[in-house]
Amino acid sequence: LLQQRLDEESVPAVTLEIAGETRESFTVLERASGREYRFVLPGPRLAPEEWQACLDRVESLADAYGWVVASGSLPGGVPDDFYARLAHQVRRRGGRFVLDAAGAALAAALDEGVDLVKPNLREFRELTGEALDDDEARVRAAEGLVRAGKAGIVALSLGSSGALLVADGESVRAPGLDVEIAGTVGAGDSFLAATVWSLARGGSLDDA
């Protein structure tokens, strides 16, 4: 079904088949309040040979990319250090590795080192164990990751409050845009896609 939908939208994709069904997630908009309710269903458990095939496929495509984005939670059966392994693999071949994840998978990858990490505020609080109630605290925590070599750039998304990008010796604060909200699904993904697109074209942190 997923492959069919990608084909219908003319989205080029390199796919890996697994034994289980691709998980489904859906969002319900409650019209009276305008609230969104997200239902993220559990997916199949991957066998070791299935997640290893993903690493092998990325390795086989190493010369075809400059940037690799890894995004989302890991399926059951996949080790917490999967993204760390992927980061090592990509960067060893000269690629740039970008991560949008949370929890143990995020922490393990940062220990390996990534080129760009995009937490939201909740994920960043969980990672640092700090309240991070203002921009000063957020910049300080992000600079700590950069100085430690865990991330080249920290792109902290702040929802309606905008975003904060921090790199070595540089920080940029972008306010939220005053737009009518039609839905928030994919907002973080779109933010990250635009950021990477800009940086991959040689844009500055401020451009991104």
Side-chain angles (χ1 to χ4, degrees):
L1 177 60
L2 177 57
Q3 183 66 61
Q4 176 187 328
R5 294 306 304 274
L6 289 170
D7 291 342
E8 289 171 355
E9 298 292 335
S10 300
V11 177
V14 176
T15 59
L16 282 172
E17 291 191 7
I18 59 173
E21 291 284 342
T22 300
R23 78 173 184 180
E24 292 186 71
S25 302
F26 59 94
T27 300
V28 174
L29 176 64
E30 202 280 300
R31 291 186 177 137
S33 66
R35 284 184 172 272
E36 284 182 350
Y37 295 88
R38 300 187 184 186
F39 295 83
V40 182
L41 306 185
R45 187 174 185 84
L46 267 61
E49 59 270 19
E50 290 177 322
W51 59 258
Q52 182 60 53
C54 182
L55 294 177
D56 294 342
R57 181 64 66 87
V58 173
E59 182 72 18
S60 74
L61 297 170
D63 297 330
Y65 53 70
W67 294 72
V68 172
V69 178
S71 179
S73 58
L74 294 173
V78 179
D80 288 339
D81 69 346
F82 178 84
Y83 285 146
R85 299 185 195 201
L86 197 57
H88 176 77
Q89 184 175 297
V90 169
R91 299 178 88 198
R92 176 174 52 82
R93 296 290 293 267
R96 309 285 295 277
F97 187 77
V98 179
L99 182 63
D100 181 3
L106 170 60
L110 290 176
D111 285 341
E112 173 65 34
V114 303
D115 293 285
L116 188 154
V117 62
K118 192 220 75 68
N120 60 33
L121 186 55
R122 175 183 56 78
E123 293 164 346
F124 203 36
R125 283 171 169 158
E126 291 174 355
L127 177 70
T128 62
E130 300 177 30
L132 305 177
D133 288 331
D134 55 41
D135 280 354
E136 183 180 353
R138 296 162 189 168
V139 169
R140 187 169 59 248
E143 287 176 338
L145 290 184
V146 174
R147 281 197 306 272
K150 293 176 177 284
I153 300 172
V154 177
L156 178 62
S157 59
L158 300 167
S160 61
S161 296
L164 176 68
L165 270 67
V166 176
D168 186 18
E170 186 178 6
S171 66
V172 177
R173 180 68 165 88
L177 300 179
D178 185 17
V179 296
E180 182 179 349
I181 299 173
T184 61
V185 175
D189 299 313
S190 301
F191 167 81
L192 182 58
T195 301
V196 172
W197 175 80
S198 180
L199 293 171
R201 296 172 69 244
S204 68
L205 208 64
D206 195 49
D207 293 332

